[in-house]
Amino acid sequence: MKTLQELTRPNIWALKPYSCARDEFKGMRADAFLDANENPYPNGVNRYPDPLQEELKQHISVFKGVPAANIFLGNGSDEAIDLQFRIFCRPGVDNVVAIAPTYGMYEVCADINDVEYRKVLLDENYDFSPEALLKACDENTKIIFICSPNNPTGNAFRREKIEKVLREFEGIVVVDEAYSDFCPQRPFRLDLQHYPNLIVLNTFSKAMGCAGIRLGMAFASTDIIALMNKVKYPYNVNTLTQQRAMEALKEATVFRRNLSLIIEERVSLMRAFAQLPICKKVYPTDANFFLAKMTDADRIYRYLVEHRIIVRNRSRVDLCGGCLRITVGTKEENTALLSSLRKYV
């Protein structure tokens, strides 16, 4: 790969980050906090949160098997995605390459940051060609995005294909593993030491069941993490989010139980879905959702809304014409979905 300095925007490389009061205080003991213009009367949230979330990162390190120094935490994975554009991509000059269809925020962040977004369509099996991704790159391509398991298609890509891109691309490769807990494949976050150009995304929103606290993770080399910490807002993860995340990490038994239930329900729901006369095809998945091609996706979607059941209509997404994306719910929710669809005429 190119050196990190070559890949980084010059103004970001030279940036002197904002220094907050708690950064300057770090590592010292104190009896009176008179540095940050806070309200001194305690109510649980009157003090600013740890700007680098160090205690939480120690808990995540144990849970995810990644050293704390290789972890970035943000306001959802979307913050980590946006940071890659702000760190590496010069507006109006650089470009990024991504598979299509995939998670829509990559393109949204590209548009916000005035960065060209190059799509490389998947094949009829929703698989990608490493050669096609690399061919779409030029000297101004800074980032390749690969979501695996992919959203909205649900399938995980073979590791050797992603490894080829990591070896041959000179820029940054972002592997989004938001749904990796539902997939038996070895996650790339465990292989950071082999790939200095790798950034792996993960989230508390899916398997961890904490979508409401908006906490995303990025795993990367310490040098890349340092750049992300340099550019992020000073207190980007609030106190309540940090506290709730640490509570969730202590609930490992609940996590494993719910994960197992979702995977079991996924199997039975997909099998039942495939038998519906209005379902033309159910696509394989490694996530907590699946894509289903329907006889009339728009009409079926509206029918379900009328019955107070909400799925995602993906008919207007590349290669997903006529498809609904179904999230695996509780047994009761899945039963209600199937019951309504069996009555559809």
Side-chain angles (χ1 to χ4, degrees):
M1 63 175 286
K2 294 178 181 177
T3 67
L4 199 56
Q5 184 171 358
E6 288 176 305
L7 291 170
T8 304
R9 289 169 54 186
N11 64 305
I12 298 299
W13 189 262
L15 177 70
K16 183 178 179 181
Y18 174 80
S19 179
C20 63
R22 290 299 117 92
D23 279 332
E24 297 169 3
F25 161 76
K26 182 180 175 182
M28 296 180 282
R29 299 183 62 184
D31 296 319
F33 292 96
L34 306 175
D35 58 342
N37 305 333
E38 300 156 320
N39 186 315
Y41 299 103
N43 61 9
V45 290
N46 61 305
R47 300 296 182 184
Y48 284 110
D50 176 2
L52 293 177
Q53 313 93 29
E54 292 186 350
E55 183 181 1
L56 174 54
K57 285 178 181 176
Q58 291 297 331
H59 288 276
I60 292 173
S61 174
V62 174
F63 197 84
K64 293 290 187 178
V66 177
N70 297 100
I71 300 173
F72 170 86
L73 300 180
N75 185 351
S77 296
D78 295 339
E79 181 182 1
I81 292 167
D82 184 59
L83 280 176
Q84 308 321 312
F85 288 91
R86 293 199 278 148
I87 292 169
F88 298 113
C89 298
R90 295 166 296 174
V93 176
D94 292 326
N95 66 78
V96 302
V97 170
I99 58 174
T102 195
Y103 181 44
M105 276 305 294
Y106 311 144
E107 185 170 10
V108 170
C109 287
D111 291 343
I112 290 171
N113 288 281
D114 191 22
V115 173
E116 181 188 357
Y117 186 81
R118 299 182 176 183
K119 297 181 182 181
V120 178
L121 289 179
L122 302 176
D123 64 21
E124 65 276 7
N125 297 313
Y126 293 142
D127 201 1
F128 82 93
S129 161
E131 293 78 13
L133 275 183
L134 293 167
K135 187 177 180 181
C137 301
D138 63 20
E139 65 275 9
N140 289 328
T141 304
K142 291 294 187 69
I143 307 172
I144 293 177
F145 286 95
I146 303 173
C147 185
S148 181
N150 190 32
N151 177 11
T153 61
N155 56 310
F157 302 113
R158 296 207 313 273
R159 279 182 60 92
E160 56 265 30
K161 290 193 170 190
I162 299 175
E163 288 167 352
K164 179 178 176 64
V165 175
L166 282 163
R167 287 193 307 268
E168 299 186 17
F169 181 53
E170 294 185 336
I172 300 296
V173 179
V174 176
V175 179
D176 191 340
E177 294 186 334
Y179 301 95
S180 61
D181 290 301
F182 305 101
C183 175
Q185 192 175 102
R186 176 182 170 87
F188 271 92
R189 71 172 185 271
L190 302 179
D191 297 320
L192 294 175
Q193 69 275 20
H194 301 306
Y195 304 107
N197 60 334
L198 171 63
I199 299 173
V200 177
L201 303 180
N202 208 196
T203 178
F204 270 65
S205 295
K206 311 304 179 184
M208 293 300 297
C210 294
I213 69 172
R214 303 306 302 134
L215 184 63
M217 296 166 276
F219 309 105
S221 71
T222 54
D223 290 336
I224 291 176
I225 295 298
L227 283 171
M228 296 176 72
N229 286 332
K230 180 196 261 193
V231 177
K232 77 174 183 71
Y233 292 121
Y235 302 108
N236 62 325
V237 180
N238 68 66
T239 296
L240 299 179
T241 290
Q242 293 187 44
Q243 291 173 348
R244 184 62 188 91
M246 284 189 279
E247 292 171 10
L249 290 167
K250 294 174 184 177
E251 299 168 353
T253 302
V254 175
F255 166 78
R256 287 192 292 269
R257 181 199 67 198
N258 291 345
L259 184 61
S260 178
L261 287 172
I262 290 170
I263 292 173
E264 288 175 13
E265 280 297 305
R266 180 180 72 186
V267 173
S268 58
L269 180 59
M270 290 175 68
R271 185 180 298 122
F273 224 84
Q275 296 173 355
L276 294 170
I278 56 175
C279 179
K280 299 168 73 172
K281 182 175 182 177
V282 174
Y283 291 91
T285 187
D286 299 289
N288 67 329
F289 62 86
F290 61 91
L291 203 62
K293 193 171 188 67
M294 312 300 289
T295 53
D296 189 340
D298 290 342
R299 186 166 179 260
I300 294 168
Y301 173 79
R302 291 193 298 270
Y303 167 83
L304 288 173
V305 170
E306 290 171 0
H307 287 75
R308 300 169 64 180
I309 297 173
I310 311 302
V311 298
R312 197 78 189 270
N313 188 351
R314 299 282 75 188
S315 293
R316 289 155 189 82
V317 173
D318 293 328
L319 305 181
C320 295
C323 290
L324 299 179
R325 193 190 70 190
I326 314 296
T327 303
V328 179
T330 64
K331 192 175 190 65
E332 293 74 21
E333 289 172 325
N334 300 334
T335 298
L337 169 65
L338 291 169
S339 177
S340 291
L341 290 176
R342 284 168 181 148
K343 297 172 185 174
Y344 174 85
V345 290

